Amino acid sequence: MSKCTTNCSTSFAEELEHNFKEDTKPTKHTFCPKLWEEFFIVEDGAVFPCCERPQEVGNLYHNTLTEICNSETYQQMRRDSLNGKLKCYKNCRLLKKDKIKPDFNKKPKADYGKMKKLRMLFSEKCNLNCVMCHQNSNAKQVLSMDVMKKNIDLRPFESIDSQGGESLFIKEANQFFDHATSQGKKINLITNCTLVNDIWAEKIARHSEFVHISLNASTKETHEAINRGSNWERVLENIQKIKKQKELLGTDLNIIGHMTLLLRNLDELPDFIKNYEKFGFDTINFGYTRSVQFYMKGNPLKRKALAKKVQAAIAELKHPENVDALRLELLGLV
């Protein structure tokens, strides 16, 4: 960082802004608001700022989440973010970078009471074995419920996400759902939707802001080939169970359909977009594997042809705003 030339009464925010402008181009920054708002905890207790796992900032088995909030590692990441030096920013797939404006009033030390989002990966245990998943579906390691109760103060969080593996397949994740909701918290599920029964459909509709469901295709054959061990009809039936409870309870639950793009399901992307309401979803979003990213770069004619179909499918929708196209934009499809 260059030496500050302002007088000694310069505020911390002003000094950062001055140095930021000197050390980087005006149109560039690495400001990430997640560093002041979020935690992502995984099955061995490791804590990260987000699910991209850029750098471990602490461990729940060694410290409380309140203490981890201002660990030296976490504070250094915030300094780097403010100074335009956050290494993970360049390749981040989570941030809508064109919407971010650096906030130089932020300080390296954050207020735990103002943290907003908590995401929990309880274990890699899963009842399916999806072809693109790097997780160990037979994993034994699971976050301890006793440690979670002792070391996580849930009071600040506006949003809590539960995932695995398959969260409904993990006893501790189900216990944590009840623990959080007993404190008046909303807890959202990321699920393959194979284990949703009437009881869970009611719980989700009552206690979740969203449920994120992996379908990964627009046809039975492709879905079951990718989500190995799943059943197309059962998943669609379970989505309808949740939808029915949502309507009965009159809640604002967002039923999100998620499609991870692979080379084998790319051609089904336009139909997935066209039929998302038929499947029972309120909104949809996407992910993609590295192979798809490289394929799109190396096959511009294929990308252009697919982009034309995707854009036409979105244009035909009654509510195109229900399509979260961030990942499609990154692939050059919209």
Side-chain angles (χ1 to χ4, degrees):
M1 182 182 291
S2 59
K3 185 178 179 180
C4 180
T5 58
T6 53
N7 62 47
C8 59
S9 64
T10 302
S11 71
F12 179 83
E14 289 171 338
E15 181 176 346
L16 281 172
E17 184 170 12
H18 173 81
N19 291 337
F20 179 88
K21 288 179 178 178
E22 283 192 357
D23 290 351
T24 63
K25 296 179 181 179
T27 57
K28 301 290 185 180
H29 69 78
T30 63
F31 183 78
C32 175
K34 291 179 179 290
L35 299 177
W36 286 267
E37 298 176 356
E38 299 187 16
F39 297 104
F40 178 54
I41 306 174
V42 300
E43 71 278 10
D44 63 356
V47 181
F48 301 88
C50 70
C51 61
E52 292 280 282
R53 307 190 194 191
Q55 186 172 0
E56 183 175 337
V57 296
N59 191 291
L60 200 65
Y61 284 88
H62 304 148
N63 298 97
T64 67
L65 199 58
T66 307
E67 293 167 339
I68 294 170
C69 180
N70 284 302
S71 68
E72 180 51 40
T73 304
Y74 212 166
Q75 289 193 59
Q76 186 58 52
M77 288 191 74
R78 296 183 187 121
R79 291 187 192 98
D80 290 343
S81 181
L82 290 167
N83 293 332
K85 298 178 181 179
L86 186 65
K87 295 179 181 179
C88 57
Y89 185 87
K90 180 179 179 180
N91 296 316
C92 181
R93 299 185 296 169
L94 301 177
L95 297 173
K96 295 183 178 180
K97 297 178 182 178
D98 60 332
K99 307 292 185 183
I100 296 175
K101 182 179 180 181
D103 182 357
F104 295 107
N105 290 314
K106 296 288 189 184
K107 297 181 180 179
K109 191 170 184 178
D111 183 349
Y112 183 81
K114 294 182 179 179
M115 300 300 281
K116 297 179 180 179
K117 188 175 183 65
L118 174 65
R119 179 174 287 183
M120 312 281 292
L121 191 156
F122 294 89
S123 174
E124 293 188 352
K125 290 169 62 175
C126 189
N127 62 323
L128 302 185
N129 187 21
C130 299
V131 296
M132 70 289 191
C133 186
H134 64 276
Q135 294 181 328
N136 177 12
S137 60
N138 296 314
K140 303 298 182 184
Q141 191 169 42
V142 185
L143 268 172
S144 164
M145 190 65 206
D146 289 339
V147 170
M148 289 187 284
K149 283 184 175 180
K150 178 182 177 182
N151 287 345
I152 302 177
D153 179 357
L154 294 177
R155 287 177 294 179
F157 299 108
E158 301 171 1
S159 177
I160 304 172
D161 296 352
S162 170
Q163 67 182 88
E166 170 52 42
S167 57
L168 294 182
F169 189 62
I170 303 166
K171 178 183 70 174
E172 290 79 0
N174 296 338
Q175 292 173 337
F176 187 82
F177 186 101
D178 293 336
H179 169 66
T181 57
S182 71
Q183 296 187 34
K185 296 296 180 180
K186 293 283 189 177
I187 183 164
N188 311 304
L189 295 184
I190 298 173
T191 176
N192 58 45
C193 210
T194 58
L195 301 176
V196 172
N197 54 25
D198 290 335
I199 293 173
W200 269 108
E202 189 273 337
K203 281 187 176 184
I204 293 167
R206 186 181 297 278
H207 297 298
S208 301
E209 293 178 337
F210 70 79
V211 57
H212 191 274
I213 299 169
S214 300
L215 200 61
N216 295 327
S218 62
T219 65
K220 171 183 172 68
E221 180 181 7
T222 305
H223 169 78
E224 293 181 359
I226 294 174
N227 287 29
R228 293 180 298 195
S230 184
N231 178 279
W232 174 261
E233 290 83 7
R234 183 186 304 129
V235 171
L236 294 183
E237 180 182 341
N238 290 346
I239 295 171
Q240 291 304 319
K241 287 179 182 178
I242 298 171
K243 196 173 187 69
K244 180 180 178 181
Q245 287 297 323
K246 171 186 173 178
E247 293 170 354
L248 287 173
L249 295 170
T251 67
D252 294 327
L253 174 71
N254 183 10
I255 304 173
I256 304 171
H258 178 81
M259 183 179 186
T260 298
L261 299 175
L262 316 174
L263 295 180
R264 70 192 305 170
N265 67 3
L266 270 178
D267 290 335
E268 296 191 16
L269 173 57
D271 283 339
F272 183 87
I273 294 170
K274 291 177 183 178
N275 294 308
Y276 81 92
E277 288 184 298
K278 177 182 175 182
F279 297 145
F281 300 129
D282 298 315
T283 62
I284 51 175
N285 63 28
F286 307 90
Y288 57 80
T289 61
R290 295 295 184 187
S291 60
V292 168
Q293 185 179 24
F294 296 141
Y295 180 76
M296 289 288 99
K297 288 183 177 180
N299 295 271
L301 293 180
K302 172 66 176 180
R303 180 188 58 76
K304 185 176 180 179
L306 182 59
K308 184 176 180 180
K309 293 179 180 179
V310 167
Q311 291 167 29
I314 294 175
E316 292 174 10
L317 296 177
K318 185 177 180 180
H319 296 288
E321 68 276 9
N322 290 341
V323 178
D324 181 348
L326 174 61
R327 301 294 174 84
L328 302 184
E329 290 176 14
L330 294 176
L331 290 175
L333 295 175
V334 295

Coordinates of all heavy atoms in Angstrom, one line a residue, residues 14-78:
E14 N -11.4 7.2 4.8 CA -10.8 8.2 3.8 C -9.4 7.7 3.4 O -9.1 7.8 2.2 CB -10.8 9.6 4.4 CG -12.1 10.2 4.5 CD -12.1 11.5 5.3 OE1 -11.1 11.7 6.1 OE2 -13.0 12.4 5.1
E15 N -8.7 7.2 4.4 CA -7.3 6.7 4.1 C -7.4 5.5 3.2 O -6.7 5.4 2.2 CB -6.6 6.4 5.4 CG -5.2 5.9 5.1 CD -4.4 5.6 6.4 OE1 -4.9 6.1 7.4 OE2 -3.4 5.0 6.3
L16 N -8.3 4.6 3.5 CA -8.5 3.4 2.6 C -8.9 3.8 1.2 O -8.3 3.3 0.2 CB -9.5 2.5 3.2 CG -9.1 1.6 4.4 CD1 -10.3 0.8 5.0 CD2 -8.0 0.6 3.9
E17 N -9.8 4.8 1.1 CA -10.2 5.2 -0.2 C -9.1 5.8 -1.0 O -8.9 5.6 -2.2 CB -11.4 6.1 -0.1 CG -12.0 6.6 -1.5 CD -13.3 7.3 -1.3 OE1 -13.7 7.7 -0.2 OE2 -14.0 7.5 -2.4
H18 N -8.3 6.6 -0.3 CA -7.2 7.3 -0.9 C -6.2 6.3 -1.5 O -5.8 6.3 -2.6 CB -6.5 8.2 0.1 CG -5.2 8.8 -0.4 ND1 -5.2 9.9 -1.3 CD2 -3.9 8.4 -0.3 CE1 -3.9 10.2 -1.6 NE2 -3.1 9.3 -1.0
N19 N -5.8 5.3 -0.6 CA -4.9 4.3 -1.0 C -5.4 3.4 -2.1 O -4.7 3.0 -3.0 CB -4.5 3.4 0.2 CG -3.6 4.2 1.2 OD1 -3.0 5.2 0.8 ND2 -3.6 3.8 2.4
F20 N -6.7 3.1 -2.0 CA -7.4 2.3 -3.0 C -7.3 2.9 -4.4 O -6.9 2.3 -5.4 CB -8.9 2.1 -2.7 CG -9.6 1.2 -3.6 CD1 -9.7 -0.1 -3.5 CD2 -10.3 1.8 -4.7 CE1 -10.4 -0.9 -4.4 CE2 -11.0 1.1 -5.6 CZ -11.0 -0.3 -5.5
K21 N -7.5 4.2 -4.5 CA -7.4 4.9 -5.7 C -6.0 5.0 -6.3 O -5.8 5.0 -7.5 CB -8.0 6.3 -5.6 CG -9.5 6.3 -5.4 CD -10.1 7.7 -5.2 CE -11.6 7.7 -5.1 NZ -12.1 9.1 -4.9
E22 N -5.0 5.1 -5.4 CA -3.6 5.1 -5.8 C -3.1 3.8 -6.3 O -2.4 3.7 -7.3 CB -2.7 5.6 -4.7 CG -2.8 7.1 -4.4 CD -1.7 7.5 -3.4 OE1 -0.9 6.6 -3.0 OE2 -1.6 8.7 -3.2
D23 N -3.6 2.7 -5.7 CA -3.0 1.4 -6.0 C -3.7 0.6 -7.0 O -3.2 -0.4 -7.5 CB -3.0 0.5 -4.7 CG -1.9 1.1 -3.7 OD1 -1.2 2.0 -4.1 OD2 -1.9 0.6 -2.5
T24 N -4.9 1.0 -7.4 CA -5.7 0.2 -8.4 C -6.3 1.2 -9.4 O -6.5 2.4 -9.2 CB -6.8 -0.6 -7.7 OG1 -7.7 0.4 -7.1 CG2 -6.3 -1.5 -6.6
K25 N -6.8 0.6 -10.5 CA -7.5 1.4 -11.5 C -8.9 1.7 -10.9 O -9.5 1.0 -10.2 CB -7.6 0.6 -12.8 CG -6.3 0.3 -13.4 CD -6.5 -0.5 -14.7 CE -5.2 -0.9 -15.4 NZ -5.4 -1.7 -16.6
P26 N -9.4 2.9 -11.3 CA -10.7 3.4 -10.7 C -11.8 2.4 -11.0 O -12.7 2.3 -10.2 CB -10.9 4.7 -11.4 CG -9.5 5.2 -11.8 CD -8.8 3.9 -12.1
T27 N -11.7 1.6 -12.1 CA -12.9 0.7 -12.4 C -12.7 -0.6 -11.8 O -13.5 -1.5 -12.0 CB -13.0 0.6 -13.9 OG1 -11.7 0.1 -14.4 CG2 -13.3 1.9 -14.6
K28 N -11.6 -0.9 -11.0 CA -11.4 -2.2 -10.4 C -11.4 -2.1 -8.9 O -11.0 -1.1 -8.3 CB -10.0 -2.7 -10.8 CG -9.8 -2.8 -12.3 CD -10.6 -4.0 -12.9 CE -10.3 -4.1 -14.4 NZ -11.0 -5.3 -15.0
H29 N -11.9 -3.2 -8.3 CA -11.9 -3.3 -6.9 C -12.1 -4.8 -6.5 O -12.4 -5.6 -7.4 CB -13.0 -2.4 -6.2 CG -14.4 -2.9 -6.5 ND1 -15.0 -3.9 -5.8 CD2 -15.3 -2.4 -7.3 CE1 -16.2 -4.1 -6.2 NE2 -16.4 -3.2 -7.2
T30 N -11.9 -5.1 -5.3 CA -12.1 -6.5 -4.8 C -13.0 -6.5 -3.6 O -12.8 -7.3 -2.7 CB -10.7 -7.2 -4.5 OG1 -10.1 -6.5 -3.4 CG2 -9.8 -7.2 -5.7
F31 N -13.9 -5.5 -3.5 CA -14.7 -5.4 -2.3 C -15.8 -6.5 -2.3 O -16.5 -6.7 -3.3 CB -15.4 -4.1 -2.3 CG -16.3 -3.9 -1.0 CD1 -15.6 -3.6 0.2 CD2 -17.6 -4.1 -1.1 CE1 -16.4 -3.4 1.3 CE2 -18.4 -3.9 0.1 CZ -17.8 -3.6 1.3
C32 N -15.8 -7.3 -1.2 CA -16.8 -8.4 -1.1 C -17.6 -8.2 0.2 O -17.1 -8.4 1.3 CB -16.0 -9.8 -1.0 SG -17.2 -11.1 -0.7
P33 N -18.9 -7.9 0.1 CA -19.7 -7.6 1.3 C -19.9 -8.9 2.1 O -20.2 -8.7 3.3 CB -21.0 -7.1 0.7 CG -21.0 -7.6 -0.7 CD -19.6 -7.6 -1.2
K34 N -19.7 -10.0 1.5 CA -19.9 -11.3 2.3 C -19.0 -11.4 3.5 O -19.3 -12.0 4.5 CB -19.7 -12.5 1.4 CG -20.8 -12.7 0.3 CD -20.5 -13.9 -0.6 CE -21.6 -14.1 -1.6 NZ -22.9 -14.5 -1.0
L35 N -17.8 -10.7 3.4 CA -16.8 -10.8 4.5 C -17.4 -10.2 5.8 O -16.8 -10.4 6.9 CB -15.5 -10.2 4.1 CG -14.8 -10.8 2.8 CD1 -13.6 -10.0 2.5 CD2 -14.5 -12.2 3.1
W36 N -18.3 -9.3 5.7 CA -18.9 -8.6 6.8 C -20.3 -9.2 7.2 O -20.9 -8.7 8.1 CB -19.0 -7.1 6.6 CG -17.7 -6.4 6.6 CD1 -17.2 -5.8 7.7 CD2 -16.7 -6.2 5.6 NE1 -15.9 -5.2 7.4 CE2 -15.7 -5.5 6.1 CE3 -16.7 -6.6 4.2 CZ2 -14.6 -5.1 5.3 CZ3 -15.6 -6.3 3.5 CH2 -14.6 -5.5 4.0
E37 N -20.7 -10.2 6.5 CA -22.1 -10.6 6.6 C -22.3 -12.1 6.8 O -23.4 -12.6 7.3 CB -22.9 -10.2 5.4 CG -23.0 -8.7 5.2 CD -23.7 -8.3 3.9 OE1 -24.1 -9.2 3.2 OE2 -23.9 -7.1 3.7
E38 N -21.3 -13.0 6.4 CA -21.6 -14.4 6.3 C -20.6 -15.3 6.9 O -19.4 -14.9 7.2 CB -21.7 -14.8 4.8 CG -22.8 -14.1 4.1 CD -23.0 -14.6 2.7 OE1 -22.5 -15.7 2.3 OE2 -23.7 -13.9 1.9
F39 N -21.1 -16.5 7.2 CA -20.2 -17.7 7.6 C -20.7 -18.9 6.9 O -21.9 -19.1 6.6 CB -20.3 -18.0 9.1 CG -19.9 -16.9 10.1 CD1 -20.9 -16.1 10.7 CD2 -18.6 -16.6 10.3 CE1 -20.5 -15.1 11.6 CE2 -18.2 -15.6 11.2 CZ -19.2 -14.9 11.8
F40 N -19.7 -19.8 6.5 CA -20.0 -21.1 6.0 C -19.2 -22.1 6.8 O -18.0 -22.0 6.8 CB -19.6 -21.1 4.5 CG -19.8 -22.4 3.8 CD1 -21.0 -23.1 3.8 CD2 -18.7 -23.1 3.2 CE1 -21.2 -24.3 3.2 CE2 -18.9 -24.3 2.5 CZ -20.2 -24.9 2.6
I41 N -20.0 -23.0 7.4 CA -19.4 -24.0 8.3 C -19.5 -25.4 7.7 O -20.6 -25.7 7.3 CB -20.0 -23.9 9.7 CG1 -20.0 -22.5 10.3 CG2 -19.3 -24.9 10.7 CD1 -20.7 -22.4 11.6
V42 N -18.4 -26.1 7.7 CA -18.4 -27.5 7.1 C -18.3 -28.5 8.1 O -18.1 -28.3 9.3 CB -17.4 -27.6 6.0 CG1 -17.6 -26.6 4.9 CG2 -16.0 -27.5 6.6
E43 N -18.3 -29.8 7.7 CA -18.5 -30.9 8.6 C -17.4 -31.1 9.6 O -17.7 -31.7 10.7 CB -18.7 -32.2 7.8 CG -17.4 -32.7 7.1 CD -17.2 -32.0 5.7 OE1 -17.8 -31.0 5.4 OE2 -16.3 -32.5 5.0
D44 N -16.2 -30.7 9.4 CA -15.1 -30.8 10.4 C -15.0 -29.6 11.3 O -14.0 -29.5 12.0 CB -13.8 -31.1 9.7 CG -13.3 -30.0 8.8 OD1 -14.0 -29.0 8.6 OD2 -12.2 -30.1 8.2
G45 N -16.0 -28.7 11.2 CA -16.0 -27.5 12.0 C -15.3 -26.3 11.4 O -15.3 -25.2 12.0
A46 N -14.6 -26.4 10.2 CA -13.9 -25.3 9.6 C -14.9 -24.3 9.2 O -16.0 -24.6 8.7 CB -13.1 -25.8 8.4
V47 N -14.5 -23.0 9.4 CA -15.4 -21.9 9.0 C -14.8 -21.1 7.9 O -13.6 -20.8 7.9 CB -15.6 -21.0 10.3 CG1 -16.5 -19.8 9.9 CG2 -16.2 -21.8 11.4
F48 N -15.6 -20.7 6.9 CA -15.1 -19.9 5.8 C -16.1 -18.7 5.6 O -17.2 -18.7 6.1 CB -15.2 -20.8 4.5 CG -14.3 -22.0 4.5 CD1 -14.8 -23.2 5.1 CD2 -13.0 -22.0 4.1 CE1 -14.0 -24.3 5.1 CE2 -12.2 -23.1 4.2 CZ -12.7 -24.3 4.7
P49 N -15.7 -17.7 4.8 CA -16.6 -16.6 4.6 C -17.8 -17.0 3.7 O -18.8 -16.3 3.7 CB -15.7 -15.5 3.9 CG -14.3 -16.0 4.2 CD -14.3 -17.4 4.3
C50 N -17.6 -18.0 2.8 CA -18.6 -18.3 1.8 C -18.4 -19.7 1.4 O -17.4 -20.4 1.7 CB -18.6 -17.3 0.6 SG -17.2 -17.5 -0.4
C51 N -19.3 -20.2 0.6 CA -19.3 -21.6 0.1 C -18.2 -21.9 -0.9 O -17.9 -23.1 -1.3 CB -20.6 -22.1 -0.4 SG -21.2 -21.2 -1.8
E52 N -17.5 -20.9 -1.4 CA -16.4 -21.1 -2.3 C -15.1 -21.5 -1.6 O -14.2 -21.9 -2.2 CB -16.1 -19.8 -3.1 CG -17.2 -19.4 -4.2 CD -17.1 -20.3 -5.4 OE1 -16.3 -19.9 -6.3 OE2 -17.9 -21.2 -5.6
R53 N -15.2 -21.4 -0.2 CA -14.1 -21.7 0.7 C -12.8 -21.1 0.3 O -11.8 -21.8 0.1 CB -13.9 -23.3 0.7 CG -15.2 -24.0 1.0 CD -14.9 -25.5 1.3 NE -16.1 -26.3 1.3 CZ -16.2 -27.5 1.7 NH1 -15.1 -28.1 2.1 NH2 -17.4 -28.2 1.6
P54 N -12.7 -19.8 0.2 CA -11.4 -19.1 -0.2 C -10.3 -19.3 0.8 O -9.2 -19.4 0.4 CB -11.9 -17.7 -0.4 CG -13.0 -17.5 0.5 CD -13.8 -18.8 0.4
Q55 N -10.7 -19.2 2.1 CA -9.7 -19.3 3.1 C -10.4 -19.6 4.4 O -11.4 -19.0 4.8 CB -8.9 -18.1 3.2 CG -7.7 -18.2 4.2 CD -6.8 -16.9 4.2 OE1 -7.1 -16.0 3.4 NE2 -5.8 -16.9 5.0
E56 N -9.8 -20.6 5.2 CA -10.4 -20.9 6.5 C -10.1 -19.8 7.5 O -9.0 -19.4 7.6 CB -9.8 -22.3 7.0 CG -10.4 -22.7 8.3 CD -10.0 -24.1 8.8 OE1 -9.5 -24.9 7.9 OE2 -10.0 -24.4 10.0
V57 N -11.1 -19.4 8.2 CA -11.0 -18.2 9.1 C -11.1 -18.7 10.6 O -10.9 -17.9 11.5 CB -12.0 -17.1 8.8 CG1 -11.7 -16.5 7.5 CG2 -13.4 -17.6 9.0
G58 N -11.3 -20.0 10.8 CA -11.4 -20.5 12.2 C -12.1 -21.9 12.2 O -12.4 -22.4 11.1
N59 N -12.2 -22.4 13.4 CA -12.8 -23.7 13.5 C -13.8 -23.8 14.7 O -13.4 -23.4 15.8 CB -11.8 -24.8 13.6 CG -12.4 -26.2 13.5 OD1 -13.1 -26.7 14.3 ND2 -12.0 -26.9 12.4
L60 N -15.0 -24.2 14.5 CA -16.0 -24.2 15.5 C -15.7 -25.1 16.7 O -16.2 -25.0 17.8 CB -17.4 -24.7 14.9 CG -18.6 -24.3 15.6 CD1 -18.8 -22.8 15.7 CD2 -19.9 -24.9 14.9
Y61 N -14.8 -26.1 16.5 CA -14.4 -27.0 17.5 C -13.4 -26.4 18.5 O -13.2 -26.9 19.6 CB -13.9 -28.3 17.0 CG -14.9 -29.3 16.4 CD1 -15.4 -29.2 15.1 CD2 -15.5 -30.2 17.3 CE1 -16.4 -30.0 14.6 CE2 -16.5 -31.1 16.8 CZ -16.9 -31.0 15.5 OH -17.9 -31.8 15.0
H62 N -12.8 -25.3 18.0 CA -11.8 -24.6 18.8 C -12.3 -23.3 19.4 O -11.8 -22.8 20.5 CB -10.6 -24.3 18.0 CG -10.0 -25.6 17.4 ND1 -9.3 -25.6 16.2 CD2 -10.0 -26.9 17.8 CE1 -9.0 -26.8 15.9 NE2 -9.4 -27.6 16.9
N63 N -13.2 -22.6 18.7 CA -13.7 -21.3 19.2 C -15.2 -21.1 18.9 O -15.7 -21.8 18.0 CB -12.9 -20.2 18.4 CG -11.4 -20.2 18.7 OD1 -10.6 -20.7 18.0 ND2 -11.0 -19.6 19.8
T64 N -15.8 -20.2 19.6 CA -17.1 -19.8 19.3 C -17.2 -19.0 17.9 O -16.2 -18.5 17.5 CB -17.8 -19.0 20.4 OG1 -17.1 -17.7 20.4 CG2 -17.6 -19.6 21.7
L65 N -18.3 -19.0 17.3 CA -18.5 -18.3 16.1 C -18.3 -16.8 16.3 O -17.8 -16.1 15.4 CB -19.8 -18.6 15.4 CG -20.0 -18.3 13.9 CD1 -19.0 -19.1 13.1 CD2 -21.4 -18.6 13.5
T66 N -18.7 -16.3 17.5 CA -18.5 -14.9 17.8 C -17.0 -14.6 17.8 O -16.6 -13.5 17.3 CB -19.1 -14.6 19.2 OG1 -20.4 -15.1 19.3 CG2 -19.0 -13.2 19.5
E67 N -16.2 -15.5 18.4 CA -14.7 -15.2 18.4 C -14.1 -15.3 17.0 O -13.3 -14.5 16.6 CB -14.0 -16.3 19.3 CG -14.4 -16.1 20.8 CD -14.0 -17.3 21.6 OE1 -13.8 -18.4 21.1 OE2 -13.9 -17.1 22.8
I68 N -14.6 -16.3 16.2 CA -14.1 -16.5 14.8 C -14.4 -15.3 13.9 O -13.7 -15.0 13.0 CB -14.7 -17.8 14.2 CG1 -14.2 -19.0 15.0 CG2 -14.4 -17.9 12.7 CD1 -14.9 -20.3 14.7
C69 N -15.5 -14.6 14.3 CA -15.9 -13.4 13.5 C -14.8 -12.4 13.3 O -14.7 -11.8 12.2 CB -17.1 -12.8 14.1 SG -17.8 -11.3 13.3
N70 N -14.0 -12.3 14.3 CA -12.9 -11.3 14.2 C -11.5 -12.0 14.5 O -10.6 -11.4 15.1 CB -13.1 -10.2 15.2 CG -14.1 -9.2 14.6 OD1 -14.0 -8.7 13.5 ND2 -15.2 -9.0 15.4
S71 N -11.4 -13.2 14.0 CA -10.1 -13.9 14.0 C -9.1 -13.0 13.2 O -9.5 -12.3 12.3 CB -10.1 -15.3 13.4 OG -10.4 -15.2 12.0
E72 N -7.8 -13.1 13.4 CA -6.9 -12.4 12.6 C -7.0 -12.7 11.1 O -6.8 -11.8 10.3 CB -5.4 -12.6 13.1 CG -4.4 -11.8 12.3 CD -4.6 -10.3 12.2 OE1 -5.1 -9.7 13.2 OE2 -4.4 -9.8 11.2
T73 N -7.2 -14.0 10.8 CA -7.3 -14.4 9.4 C -8.5 -13.7 8.7 O -8.4 -13.2 7.6 CB -7.5 -15.9 9.3 OG1 -6.4 -16.5 9.9 CG2 -7.5 -16.3 7.8
Y74 N -9.6 -13.6 9.4 CA -10.8 -13.0 8.9 C -10.6 -11.5 8.7 O -11.0 -10.9 7.7 CB -12.0 -13.3 9.7 CG -13.3 -13.4 8.9 CD1 -14.5 -14.0 9.5 CD2 -13.4 -13.0 7.6 CE1 -15.7 -14.1 8.8 CE2 -14.6 -13.1 6.9 CZ -15.7 -13.6 7.5 OH -16.9 -13.7 6.8
Q75 N -10.0 -10.9 9.7 CA -9.8 -9.5 9.6 C -8.8 -9.1 8.5 O -8.9 -8.1 7.8 CB -9.2 -8.9 10.9 CG -10.2 -8.9 12.0 CD -9.8 -8.1 13.2 OE1 -9.5 -6.9 13.1 NE2 -9.7 -8.7 14.4
Q76 N -7.8 -10.0 8.2 CA -6.9 -9.8 7.1 C -7.6 -9.9 5.8 O -7.2 -9.1 4.9 CB -5.7 -10.8 7.2 CG -4.6 -10.5 6.2 CD -4.0 -9.1 6.3 OE1 -3.6 -8.7 7.4 NE2 -4.0 -8.4 5.2
M77 N -8.5 -10.8 5.7 CA -9.2 -10.9 4.4 C -10.0 -9.6 4.2 O -10.1 -9.1 3.0 CB -10.2 -12.1 4.4 CG -9.5 -13.5 4.3 SD -10.7 -14.8 4.1 CE -11.1 -14.5 2.3
R78 N -10.6 -9.1 5.2 CA -11.3 -7.8 5.1 C -10.4 -6.7 4.7 O -10.7 -5.8 3.9 CB -12.1 -7.5 6.4 CG -13.2 -8.5 6.7 CD -13.9 -8.1 8.0 NE -14.8 -9.2 8.3 CZ -14.8 -9.8 9.5 NH1 -13.9 -9.5 10.4 NH2 -15.6 -10.8 9.8

